[in-house]
Amino acid sequence: MSLGIWVLGDQLSQAQAALASTQPDAARVLLVESSSVLGQRAYHRQKLVLVWSAMRHFAEELRQAGWTVDYRIGEQFGTTVRDWITCHGIEQVWLMEPADRGFRDAIERLTLPVKLNWLPSNAFLWSREAFAAWADGYRQLRMELFYREGRRRFAVLMEGEGAKAQPLGGQWNYDHDNRRAPTKGLRGPEPLWFEPDAITQAVMERVEQLDQERQKAGLPPLPGRLVPFRWGVSRAQALAVLEHFIDTRLAGFGPYQDAMVNGEPTLWHALLSPYLNLGLLHPLEVIRVLEQAGRDRAVPLACLEGVIRQILGWREYTHGLYHWFGPAYGESNQLEAQAPLPAWLEHGGGSGMACMDTVLQEIEQTGYAHHIQRLMVLANYGLLAGLNPQALTDWFHRQFIDGYDWVMQTNVLGMGVYADGGRLASKPYAASGNYIRRMSTYCQDCRFDVKQRHGPKACPFNSLYWDFLARHRDRLRSNPRMALVFKQLEKLTPDELAAIRQTAAEHRSPM
Ligand code: SF4
C-alpha cells in the first residue's frame, strides 16, 4: 500500500475531501497527536482534551468503517510522520487543506520525503475560490450582503424558485427581535453534557502529565480547569448536542442571544461551534436539520433565522475573509495599540470588574463564553484599553474551546478591536459600561459604579470608553457612524474629560 492520507485534527469527518477521494482498502490513514503544539501556544487544558480525544474517537470510527488507521502520539510532527512514511512504504500523502494556513505552512516546512497532494477543503459551504469571486465584486465587504447571497446560493430559508426566490417570511434578518435585555430571574435550559469515557480519561491523564512536565521545566501552568470535562468528543455526541439544542433551545434561541446573566453561561446558545470547527458536524448538514426542525415544529422564524445566520452568515464570512485578506491581515494594528495583556487575563480573573471576572471564570471552567461576552466584554475591553491586538488574538485562540486562527483573526482583529481599520466592521464596537449594565446582570454585584465616569469607584469601561474616543478623535471622527458619539464627547467639559482620562490612566497603570 503506497497511498497515505494524513487527517488533521480539525478534519474529523469521513466526508472530508481526502478520505472521500478514495476507498478504505486503497489507503492508510494517519492521525498525529503531537505535544509540540504546546511549544507554540499554551492552550486551555480542556481544548487539548477535546481535540485529542475527538481525534482518538475518530480513529476508532474510521477503523470500524474499514480503514487502516495509524494513530501516532509523538513529540514532533516531523519525526513521527517521517517514521510512518518509512515504516509503511508510503509513496504519496494526501491531505485536505486545513482551515488555518499556518498548519499547511508548518507541514510544508517538514520537507517530507514524499509528494504531498493537497485537496481543496470541503469543510465549509463556500470554497475559497467562490468567496474570492464574490468578494472581488465589492469595494466594501459587508456580512449582510454575503449572508443574503448565501441564502440564495444554497437555497436556505427561501421561498419560490430561481431568480424569483424571496426570503421566507419576507424579511432577511430578524436581528432587531433578538436583542432583549435579561429579565429578572432569567434562566436557560440545561445544556447536554457528557461524562468522560475511558478514551477521554486517558487523554486527560496525558494533558495533566504534560502540564506537570512543563511546570517542572519552569513554564507557567496551562490555563483552564481540566475537570469537570463535559464536552462531546465524537460525531454521535455532536449529533446528540444538535438534537438536544433543537428539542430544548431552538425555539428560545433568538430573543436573549445577546443577554449575559450571572450563573447562566450558556442560556439558549447552541454550543455547536466546537463540533463544527472540529469537522464532527458539517455546516450545511446542521443548517438542513435546523430548517427541517423549523418546518416540523413551527419554530419562530426569528429564532431559526438567528441561529442559521450565525452558521451560514457569520461563520462562513469570517472563514472566507481570513483567506481573502491573506497573511498580512494577522499583523494589522491600525490603532497602534501596544498595551500588554493584564496578568488577570491569564489567571482566570482578579480584575475586580464583576463582568470581566465572571466571564473569565466561566472560560476557566469550560473554555467557553458566548459571542456577546466575547465581543462586548473581552474584546471591548481590549479595544478601549488599547491592548496589543496580536497578543489578544493569541489569547482568544488559546483560551477558547472553539478557537482557531481562522476564527480569531477576523473576530478579534476585525470585529473586536478594529485593528484592521474597518475592513470588516463599519465602526469600532466600543461601548461604555452602560451597554453591559443594560444587557447583563453583572453590574449589580460589582465594586465599581456603572454610573460614574471618573474617580476610584468609576466603572473602568466608562473611563476607558471616553479616553478611547479622545485618544482616537482625529482618526475616527470622519466616520459617519461615529458622529453621534463624538458629539457626546464634545459635550464634556475640559475638566471632566481630564478627570475621566486621569481615571483611565490610573486603571491602566497597574498592568
Ligand atoms: Fe463591568 Fe462596569 Fe458593570 Fe462593573 S460596573 S460589572 S466593571 S460594566
Side-chain angles (χ1 to χ4, degrees):
M1 191 184 291
S2 62
L3 173 62
I5 294 178
W6 182 2
V7 174
L8 305 178
D10 61 347
Q11 306 179 345
L12 308 182
S13 163
Q14 292 198 47
Q16 65 105 301
L19 292 171
S21 300
T22 185
Q23 298 296 324
D25 58 0
R28 197 168 186 107
V29 178
L30 172 70
L31 289 103
V32 182
E33 186 182 305
S34 167
S35 56
S36 67
V37 293
L38 286 171
Q40 294 150 17
R41 286 190 177 90
Y43 288 102
H44 193 294
R45 292 177 175 99
Q46 293 199 23
K47 183 170 185 180
L48 290 168
V49 175
L50 174 73
V51 176
W52 288 344
S53 180
M55 286 172 64
R56 292 186 191 192
H57 281 86
F58 185 62
E60 285 306 313
E61 185 186 314
L62 286 178
R63 285 186 188 111
Q64 282 166 21
W67 294 89
T68 303
V69 181
D70 299 304
Y71 194 95
R72 297 289 180 100
I73 299 172
E75 254 180 50
Q76 298 297 331
F77 280 108
T79 42
T80 306
V81 179
R82 270 191 287 276
D83 177 64
W84 173 71
I85 286 169
T86 308
C87 183
H88 297 292
I90 302 293
E91 290 165 356
Q92 194 179 138
V93 176
W94 290 4
L95 301 97
M96 184 172 88
E97 281 271 5
D100 281 1
R101 71 174 74 82
F103 276 155
R104 174 164 175 163
D105 296 344
I107 290 169
E108 298 278 13
R109 283 198 299 273
L110 296 178
T111 57
L112 297 173
V114 293
K115 183 175 169 351
L116 297 181
N117 180 21
W118 292 98
L119 287 95
S121 171
N122 59 1
F124 291 82
L125 279 80
W126 286 74
S127 69
R128 292 167 206 184
E129 294 72 25
F131 187 91
W134 172 82
D136 210 19
Y138 292 96
R139 273 187 61 216
Q140 183 80 57
L141 300 177
R142 287 290 168 254
M143 202 290 274
E144 184 62 25
L145 296 177
F146 171 79
Y147 168 60
R148 292 181 187 189
E149 178 57 26
R151 291 268 297 270
R152 288 190 202 94
R153 194 172 287 210
F154 300 101
V156 175
L157 296 183
M158 300 294 287
E159 50 195 356
E161 295 286 316
K164 289 192 178 153
Q166 292 296 317
L168 194 62
Q171 206 174 306
W172 289 103
N173 186 320
Y174 293 81
D175 216 14
H176 62 272
D177 293 345
N178 290 343
R179 288 189 181 143
R180 281 195 214 155
T183 50
K184 196 166 188 286
L186 185 71
R187 292 280 174 269
E190 189 58 25
L192 179 62
W193 296 116
F194 303 91
E195 284 297 316
D197 64 7
I199 292 176
T200 301
Q201 283 172 17
V203 177
M204 290 168 77
E205 281 166 24
R206 177 165 189 245
V207 169
E208 178 67 28
Q209 190 189 340
L210 286 170
D211 193 16
Q212 284 174 10
E213 284 167 14
R214 282 171 54 88
Q215 290 182 50
K216 273 187 207 144
L219 293 167
L222 291 172
R225 291 207 189 142
L226 187 61
V227 290
F229 179 89
R230 300 183 295 169
W231 293 99
V233 288
S234 65
R235 175 165 165 77
Q237 290 180 333
L239 285 167
V241 172
L242 173 59
E243 188 67 30
H244 187 262
F245 168 65
I246 289 168
D247 286 345
T248 63
R249 313 157 93 82
L250 176 58
F253 175 80
Y256 296 108
Q257 65 174 288
D258 287 3
M260 299 178 279
V261 178
N262 261 322
E264 289 286 312
T266 54
L267 288 170
W268 282 265
H269 291 277
L271 308 180
L272 293 172
S273 55
Y275 312 121
L276 283 162
N277 293 356
L278 284 170
L280 295 175
L281 298 174
H282 191 275
L284 189 57
E285 160 191 42
V286 173
I287 289 167
R288 294 295 183 225
V289 170
L290 291 169
E291 276 192 299
Q292 189 61 46
R295 284 190 290 271
D296 294 348
R297 306 183 190 205
V299 175
L301 189 52
C303 298
L304 191 60
E305 191 278 323
V307 69
I308 284 178
R309 179 150 32 88
Q310 298 291 331
I311 301 169
L312 178 65
W314 189 245
R315 184 172 185 275
E316 292 287 325
Y317 188 58
T318 51
H319 175 256
L321 285 180
Y322 168 77
H323 289 288
W324 171 247
F325 287 156
Y329 187 82
E331 301 309 314
S332 308
N333 190 358
Q334 293 273 321
L335 296 181
E336 298 171 56
Q338 297 299 355
L341 301 192
W344 43 256
L345 268 182
E346 286 299 338
H347 300 150
S351 73
M353 295 175 272
C355 53
M356 185 65 76
D357 289 343
T358 304
V359 175
L360 290 175
Q361 279 154 27
E362 289 172 6
I363 297 168
E364 171 96 352
Q365 282 164 20
T366 59
Y368 175 82
H370 70 68
H371 67 284
I372 292 298
Q373 294 174 309
R374 297 185 200 202
L375 181 65
M376 299 311 291
V377 177
L378 298 167
N380 184 30
Y381 182 89
L383 171 72
L384 302 182
L387 303 186
N388 177 268
Q390 281 66 43
L392 188 64
T393 305
D394 186 67
W395 181 87
F396 270 79
H397 187 151
R398 293 187 290 109
Q399 294 277 350
F400 279 101
I401 197 90
D402 52 5
Y404 293 88
D405 215 26
W406 69 266
V407 180
M408 291 311 179
Q409 279 201 14
T410 36
N411 271 289
V412 181
L413 295 177
M415 192 74 178
V417 299
Y418 204 70
D420 64 358
R423 293 181 78 187
L424 193 151
S426 56
K427 69 177 185 73
Y429 273 77
S432 69
N434 196 39
Y435 176 89
I436 297 172
R437 179 197 60 75
R438 190 159 35 88
M439 294 306 296
S440 82
T441 60
Y442 300 145
C443 298
Q444 299 153 13
D445 302 323
C446 189
R447 74 176 165 96
F448 294 107
D449 181 350
V450 74
K451 295 209 176 77
Q452 293 189 35
R453 294 168 170 172
H454 55 82
K457 289 281 290 174
C459 164
F461 280 85
N462 289 344
S463 56
L464 291 171
Y465 174 75
W466 295 107
D467 181 67
F468 169 82
L469 292 177
R471 226 166 52 234
H472 295 293
R473 190 187 324 228
D474 291 345
R475 200 191 299 261
L476 297 174
R477 72 190 323 172
S478 60
N479 183 330
R481 296 200 64 201
M482 301 290 285
L484 195 61
V485 294
F486 278 109
K487 258 191 201 153
Q488 290 168 338
L489 179 70
E490 258 121 53
K491 283 185 192 158
L492 297 177
T493 65
D495 283 353
E496 189 171 16
L497 183 57
I500 289 170
R501 298 198 70 181
Q502 176 63 28
T503 302
E506 283 164 11
H507 171 78
R508 283 199 300 256
S509 59
M511 289 178 190

